[in-house]
Amino acid sequence: MATYTPMIQQYLTIKADYQDAFLFFRLGDFYEMFFDDAIKASQELEITLTSRDGGGDERIPMCGVPYHSAANYIETLIERGYKVAICEQTEDPKQAKGVVKREVVQLITPGTIMQGRGIEDKENNFIAAVSLFDDGTFGFAYNDLSTGENKVTLLGENFQEVINEIASIGAKEVVVDDTFPEQLKKDLKEKFFITISLENETSISKSFEHLLTDLDDEKLEQTMSTLLHYLFRTQKRSLDHLQKAKSYNTNQFLKIDYYSKRNLELTETIRTKGKKGSLLWLLDETKTAMGGRLLKQWIDKPLIQKKEIERRHRIVESMINHYFEREELREGLKEVYDLERLSGRVAFGNVNARDLIQLKKSLQQIPAIAHMLNRFQNEDLQHLANQLDPCEELTDLLERSIVDNPPISVKEGNIIRDGYNAELDQYRDASRNGKTWIAKLEKEERERTGIKSLKIGYNRVFGYYIEVTKANLQFLEEGRYERKQTLSNAERFITPELKEKEALILQAEEKIVDLEYELFLSIREEVKTYIPRLQALARIISELDVLQCFATVSEKRHYVKPSFSDERKIIIKDGRHPVVEKVMKSQEYVPNDCYMDQEREILLITGPNMSGKSTYMRQIALTAILAQVGCFVPASEAILPIFDQIFTRIGAADDLISGQSTFMVEMLEAKNAIAHATKNSLILFDEIGRGTSTYDGMALAQAIIEYIHNHIGAKTLFSTHYHELTSLEEELPNLKNIHVSAIEQNGKVVFLHKIKEGPADKSYGIHVAQLAELPPSLIKRANEILVQLEAGSNTREEVTKERKSSIEETAAQLSFFTDEIVPKAEKETSSEKKLLQELSSLNLLEMTPLDALNTLYKLQKKLKSQQNS
């Protein structure tokens, strides 16, 4: 390092502390990057890679971006998951004795950006911290730096719970310590496009001690402290907008795991990963950015507390019944700025005067909104109205201090109103009177010289001057005018009077700009003291916005208020899939009923492909979710239980990254439901077992149905093409068959999309293939093969007998081959006989898949033990 120039040595010293980030090193008007940073940045940003002499043996790779346009380049790197360390000059180059002092003033990461393309108005930008404790449990904390929100919880020993939470909040970055297992970090990177960062400090610092006062668990404090240490270390500035950390328990909400949220398309669609076509897209009639973010949070975490759900329903009902008041409220909310993120920018120090005008206009709407709420004549809304804080002192401050149309820049003046500050008014008076004096002087000089084209001008290089064309120079009085500049067709002069006035005017204007900036900073500091009140106001406005959004959607789409059954009944009349109904538009959606009680715990759904089985199942789940977030539901009547969990296995999807097939994903999702569901859960299984052979698939499907029926008792919708399973209705008292009806007309199938009692008579698979316009010859041949197969088909009982005899035959063959290969007297011991007898006596058709696997493991263990002995 000694061979490098002092500047490059400084760069390398600073870079050593930011190995995982691009170091934007300020040199004059550019941010420069060197060595590997330069090579990589030139590729990512598509900028020219050059080199420079740094004192070493070889030229150093270098690239740079202009200071004034660096934000776009930084955003590009952040969007691709990188970090950027901003290194600024911290002393005046004119006063530097050697290399100018530089230091990193901020580390920008995917989880800590405050503004720009990476920040969506209606989406949070969360950063999370995960701690693994000695007992195997996980601590999980998250923060949105742009809003100041902090939350923390404890999770069990299953890492899947951590994955579910990260997916739920859509975290862009995860902070862990050095002891966090590498395999788990790898799992996170493979599962999500996410940045992993390190922070080993867990102590409670005085700088954020006040943020942890509501936490009563050491593990919660430690996890939250890890995240806060990372934020303070990387941002290196005031974070006064951070809110007190609030703990939550995942059991306080309706649990919907990562896969089920994806299958139900709650916040994004499976195919495009976009918002359009999701439940969030359907519901989002919010008028504020704050409301849009809260709506997504409510969808991710529906309630299970009946009292709070019914409170939301009462407010929605009242808003539906008061159309004109609701429309006025929507108009009022439209004028409310993003108070949460504004508070963050005030604390962060990057707010401008236009933002403060937006804040003033927002606060001016609050009294009117409170008045509107009282007109609803609803106790819950009146309670919210009483909590609205208009921050009148702040509104008055901003009204007195900031002009109505300030510039974007806060360093160019024209921000502060006349009359706010006496010293500023004096400077302005000097400046304005000086300019009036100059205008008067120009008139006098024209009269004195008789030169009508004479004018007084100004530029930043020469200041004020009197300009006379060369043809009129003869009319100037000698000795009075001092030449200042010569042009091609004119001369510029200055007089003693003009020179004196120029000094007064320019001094005043310079002081005006400096003083306005100081006054603005003072106003910003005063606004900072209102941040807690603004954040409290933002929470109420957000809630009002989401509830009016529910009312608007419910009225527009003819939803009804649901009621809740303590007897675990589901009664849905004329139920619809909310998103499909909206997408269909002009086409008439076919509604369907759903009835389930203690004698109808499982509905076995049969019917042809494309008939609507999956849509029917999803609409039941979405109806439950809508009810539990506080919205009305798409039906003419709805009575529902309050579900504690929803599990789905819908659609086929390989997990290619983890190397898992469709069938393995199917089995893992089924296992998750079976392992965690309770009688108060809702399970949706769509064609379980189709990813393997017919017999295996049918056996697994039946075993899963029986296990849910006998051991869990959860409300379950199970669709299948295994028609043999419909006879389970005779064996399982709480299972009922239903089907989606279809009819044949002129040799073609017509889907009625109507749910009816009983099993379907056939699957119409070839008809669906015909609708897909497969070649006619292929369709004809398929029909011929179908006739042949149906002629030789077995009943379910015959299939069962065949499988039983096949198993017995396999066991007999195993015994036969053992006798053939080795003389019985030499090899077959009594222990082996017992093993074979035990194997042949097993009734595999009565065993669950898990029981079969455990039994096989025990037999293998016994066999290995005998072989080793």
Side-chain angles (χ1 to χ4, degrees), residues 36-238:
D36 290 341
D37 274 9
I39 295 171
K40 198 167 186 178
S42 66
Q43 296 168 348
E44 294 287 349
L45 300 175
E46 298 181 1
I47 56 180
T48 303
L49 178 67
T50 61
S51 64
R52 67 173 288 162
D53 180 19
D57 297 333
E58 298 179 358
R59 291 181 67 80
I60 296 171
M62 180 181 83
C63 71
V65 298
Y67 165 76
H68 65 273
S69 61
N72 290 330
Y73 294 103
I74 292 170
E75 287 177 18
T76 299
L77 291 173
I78 298 301
E79 285 172 359
R80 297 178 184 180
Y82 296 109
K83 303 176 185 178
V84 177
I86 307 297
C87 182
E88 296 286 3
Q89 297 174 177
T90 55
E91 71 172 337
D92 189 339
K94 296 176 183 177
Q95 299 176 358
K97 298 177 181 179
V99 179
V100 178
K101 288 181 182 178
R102 295 179 177 86
E103 62 182 50
V104 171
V105 297
Q106 185 184 7
L107 179 67
I108 305 174
T109 70
T112 60
I113 53 174
M114 290 288 289
Q115 58 189 28
R117 293 197 308 265
I119 293 285
E120 297 288 339
D121 286 345
K122 291 190 174 184
E123 290 185 19
N124 285 103
N125 191 71
F126 286 123
I127 179 173
V130 182
S131 300
L132 176 58
F133 299 108
D134 293 338
D135 60 0
T137 59
F138 293 92
F140 184 83
Y142 64 88
N143 160 276
D144 183 343
L145 193 60
S146 67
T147 65
E149 181 178 354
N150 289 306
K151 291 193 177 176
V152 61
T153 188
L154 288 179
L155 304 173
E157 298 178 26
N158 187 353
F159 190 60
Q160 184 62 45
E161 291 188 48
V162 175
I163 288 177
N164 288 342
E165 287 301 296
I166 289 174
S168 176
I169 66 173
K172 303 290 179 60
E173 184 176 358
V174 173
V175 180
V176 297
D177 62 23
D178 281 334
T179 65
F180 199 76
E182 287 297 325
Q183 183 57 49
L184 297 185
K185 286 194 279 189
K186 183 181 177 184
D187 290 346
L188 288 177
K189 286 182 179 179
E190 289 179 347
K191 204 77 182 174
F192 309 103
F193 179 69
I194 201 163
T195 301
I196 306 293
S197 301
L198 294 177
E199 178 58 63
N200 291 313
E201 186 60 64
T202 60
S203 63
I204 299 177
S205 169
K206 286 188 177 181
S207 59
F208 56 71
E209 190 176 17
H210 65 287
L211 299 176
L212 307 178
T213 54
D214 291 347
L215 304 183
D216 56 2
D217 187 287
E218 188 177 340
K219 291 180 180 178
L220 294 176
E221 289 179 347
Q222 182 177 326
T223 307
M224 196 71 234
S225 293
T226 300
L227 182 55
L228 292 173
H229 271 293
Y230 180 79
L231 294 176
F232 278 88
R233 179 172 63 82
T234 58
Q235 301 313 297
K236 301 177 183 293
R237 64 187 66 195
S238 166

Side-chain angles (χ1 to χ4, degrees), residues 437-572:
W437 182 88
I438 285 174
K440 182 180 177 184
L441 177 64
E442 182 181 72
K443 182 181 178 183
E444 290 174 352
E445 288 295 327
R446 285 179 179 177
E447 291 174 353
R448 182 196 297 270
T449 60
I451 305 171
K452 293 183 178 180
S453 62
L454 179 147
K455 64 180 181 181
I456 297 179
Y458 170 82
N459 65 38
R460 292 188 177 183
V461 178
F462 295 102
Y464 286 97
Y465 54 81
I466 297 171
E467 184 174 292
V468 179
T469 59
K470 289 187 175 178
N472 291 312
L473 290 176
Q474 56 184 314
F475 300 113
L476 292 181
E477 181 182 332
E478 287 188 17
R480 174 177 167 76
Y481 299 92
E482 178 184 340
R483 183 176 280 102
K484 199 166 190 181
Q485 185 183 13
T486 300
L487 304 178
S488 59
N489 63 346
E491 295 278 354
R492 289 176 175 173
F493 303 90
I494 191 166
T495 65
E497 301 96 323
L498 181 58
K499 197 170 185 178
E500 181 184 352
K501 212 66 176 178
E502 176 189 63
L504 290 172
I505 294 169
L506 294 183
Q507 186 181 35
E509 290 182 350
E510 185 178 333
K511 287 183 177 180
I512 286 171
V513 172
D514 291 341
L515 182 55
E516 282 205 60
Y517 182 63
E518 289 177 17
L519 290 171
F520 177 78
L521 294 183
S522 174
I523 293 165
R524 192 176 69 189
E525 286 302 307
E526 196 165 344
V527 173
K528 193 183 289 187
T529 63
Y530 289 87
I531 286 177
R533 292 170 64 180
L534 292 174
Q535 290 173 331
L537 175 62
R539 285 191 287 273
I540 300 171
I541 293 295
S542 304
E543 183 178 357
L544 286 170
D545 196 13
V546 178
L547 292 170
Q548 70 77 21
C549 148
F550 287 166
T552 300
V553 172
S554 298
E555 183 181 53
K556 186 187 298 184
R557 311 214 68 81
H558 308 292
Y559 293 175
V560 297
K561 179 182 177 182
S563 58
F564 296 101
S565 164
D566 295 329
E567 299 174 354
R568 299 177 54 246
K569 284 185 179 180
I570 297 179
I571 303 174
I572 299 175

